[in-house]
Amino acid sequence: MSSSTSNVVAITGHGSFITLQSHVLAEERRHPEATGTLSWIISALAISAKTIAAKLKRARLEDVLGEIGSENVQGEQQQKLDVIANTVLLRVLQSRDGVAVLGSEENDELLHVDAEGGRHYSVMFDPLDGSSNLDVGGSVGTIFSIYRVAEGRGSTLLPGREQVAAGYVLYGSSTIFVMTSGSGVHMFVLDPSIGAFIRVAEHLQVPARGSTYSVNEANLASFPEGYQRFLAQCRDTGFSSRYAGAMVADVHRVLIKGGVFLYPPTAKAPNGKLRLMYEANPMAWLIEQAGGAASTGRGRILDVQPEELHQRVPVILGSRDTVADLMSCLA
Ligand code: AHM
Ligand code: MG
């Protein structure tokens, strides 16, 4: 299919032709007190996503796959593309008015930026989630979470319920941008022929029940007993197992098709592996905004009081009723 034909499909297939930019501007108009700063930050994230998507496409050709030979603060081997994606986001976001604080999986500490007057925001992100998938051509993603920061409070980490926008970009068979700013979850697909994200779905809803679970089952023996009981129950009742090893890809499937995504505590990682500020919180808010549930196994993820940028938390996300079944096994 030629690229011009695929644009026609995008227009006729969805009735209207709304870009991410126009969607965000329309949302902004619904809030008369909005200054436009948040819209600019989201547009910076979209530009970063397009840049990262382009770099990923050429990674094998330009020999930028593989490890760089250094570790991040969490003792994980950094991939060359982790560093490239992080640099893209830092550069683009630092140049936007109103960005006062940046927190990245790839940086040890919060980065403070001299923001001009007006409203100030902090942006937390995982530049390239699931990057060990890169060597095998698998899906990876970018996750982001945005907070408003009060003057002089830039070092204060806020709980997830205070987010003002959150989302992810899935770099898979297409480049998909999913976001919420508190009025539902909306999905955009990059049309590479025009370089714009086009809205393909509004107000996504996670099905109330699903029959797929997504977990690294190799760790089963060291999960707390309630998780083991739940997973046994799933197997007995005909669930399927799907695990991409990239949270963005796994959560995207749950968002569209229902089911549950888990990263429980393990012997090796007693608080689970995933990080609260730039993995668990944004995904939890998206799933809740889509009618699903998000828990640490003990309480709502969005209510966890953060203590540090890279803190880890057990993660349960998915269909409302399926998560409720798991919670009763954990009780
Ligand atoms: P990363 O941010 O270093 O890529 O790690 C997070 C990733 C998630 O995308 C994924 O769900 C999880 O780690 C997979 O971990 P495991 O290999 O232990 O199953
Ligand atoms: Mg990650």
Side-chain angles (χ1 to χ4, degrees):
M1 188 188 289
S2 76
S3 53
S4 58
T5 323
S6 79
N7 288 337
V8 173
V9 171
I11 295 167
T12 53
H14 300 285
S16 58
F17 193 70
I18 307 287
T19 63
L20 174 60
Q21 190 92 357
S22 40
H23 171 92
V24 169
L25 289 175
E27 291 247 320
E28 185 189 305
R29 273 199 294 277
R30 291 179 29 227
H31 299 275
E33 75 291 355
T35 59
T37 310
L38 182 59
S39 305
W40 273 107
I41 296 174
I42 293 168
S43 114
L45 289 162
I47 291 168
S48 306
K50 287 183 227 172
T51 310
I52 295 168
K55 291 196 184 290
L56 290 173
K57 276 216 174 67
R58 297 192 52 82
R60 172 66 70 191
L61 301 171
E62 288 172 4
D63 194 25
V64 287
L65 290 176
E67 292 171 353
I68 203 169
S70 59
E71 288 185 350
N72 65 15
V73 64
Q74 298 153 78
E76 298 161 342
Q77 278 295 328
Q78 287 180 303
Q79 303 278 320
K80 291 176 193 163
L81 276 162
D82 282 326
V83 175
I84 292 172
N86 194 39
T87 307
V88 168
L89 280 154
L90 291 175
R91 275 206 193 129
V92 178
L93 286 165
Q94 273 174 341
S95 67
R96 290 289 155 117
D97 282 351
V99 176
V101 184
L102 294 167
S104 165
E105 175 174 328
E106 302 303 334
N107 292 107
D108 301 4
E109 309 280 351
L110 288 174
L111 201 85
H112 294 269
V113 186
D114 277 335
E116 299 292 314
R119 285 192 177 161
H120 290 180
Y121 292 88
S122 68
V123 187
M124 307 289 145
F125 54 87
D126 180 352
L128 210 50
D129 182 62
S131 52
S132 58
N133 269 1
L134 287 169
D135 288 342
V136 295
S139 294
V140 292
T142 296
I143 313 174
F144 63 89
S145 165
I146 307 177
Y147 296 82
R148 255 181 93 174
V149 291
E151 195 101 20
R153 306 260 300 154
S155 302
T156 314
L157 296 173
L158 298 170
R161 60 172 183 270
E162 304 278 346
Q163 291 171 103
V164 294
Y168 60 77
V169 187
L170 171 62
Y171 310 100
S173 53
S174 55
T175 302
I176 299 176
F177 192 108
V178 174
M179 66 160 287
T180 184
S181 54
S183 53
V185 178
H186 313 295
M187 177 160 88
F188 306 82
V189 172
L190 181 62
D191 182 338
S193 64
I194 57 167
F197 282 104
I198 307 301
R199 192 172 72 197
V200 295
E202 283 185 277
H203 299 287
L204 287 170
Q205 286 289 305
V206 187
R209 193 167 268 295
S211 54
T212 303
Y213 64 80
S214 190
V215 66
N216 187 341
E217 226 164 350
N219 297 326
L220 183 70
S222 76
F223 293 161
E225 207 201 318
Y227 288 94
Q228 299 195 27
R229 218 171 322 122
F230 170 75
L231 291 168
Q233 197 174 289
C234 291
R235 286 191 296 271
D236 290 347
T237 53
F239 271 58
S240 287
S241 148
R242 293 282 183 276
Y243 193 64
M247 184 190 200
V248 174
D250 286 319
V251 172
H252 188 66
R253 184 186 331 94
V254 169
L255 179 67
I256 304 293
K257 298 200 163 179
V260 62
F261 169 84
L262 313 171
Y263 210 110
T266 63
K268 213 170 94 189
N271 291 318
K273 175 185 179 189
L274 300 175
R275 275 59 50 112
L276 176 66
M277 295 308 293
Y278 42 79
E279 291 172 330
N281 271 337
M283 292 308 202
W285 197 32
L286 285 165
I287 290 290
E288 283 199 6
Q289 277 286 313
S295 170
T296 64
R298 298 195 164 173
R300 196 175 168 228
I301 291 175
L302 298 181
D303 286 336
V304 175
Q305 184 60 47
E307 280 156 19
E308 54 122 357
L309 174 60
H310 302 291
Q311 121 184 29
R312 295 171 196 265
V313 70
V315 169
I316 299 168
L317 300 169
S319 294
R320 192 193 55 216
D321 295 350
T322 317
V323 170
D325 291 347
L326 169 55
M327 296 312 286
S328 28
C329 290
L330 294 181

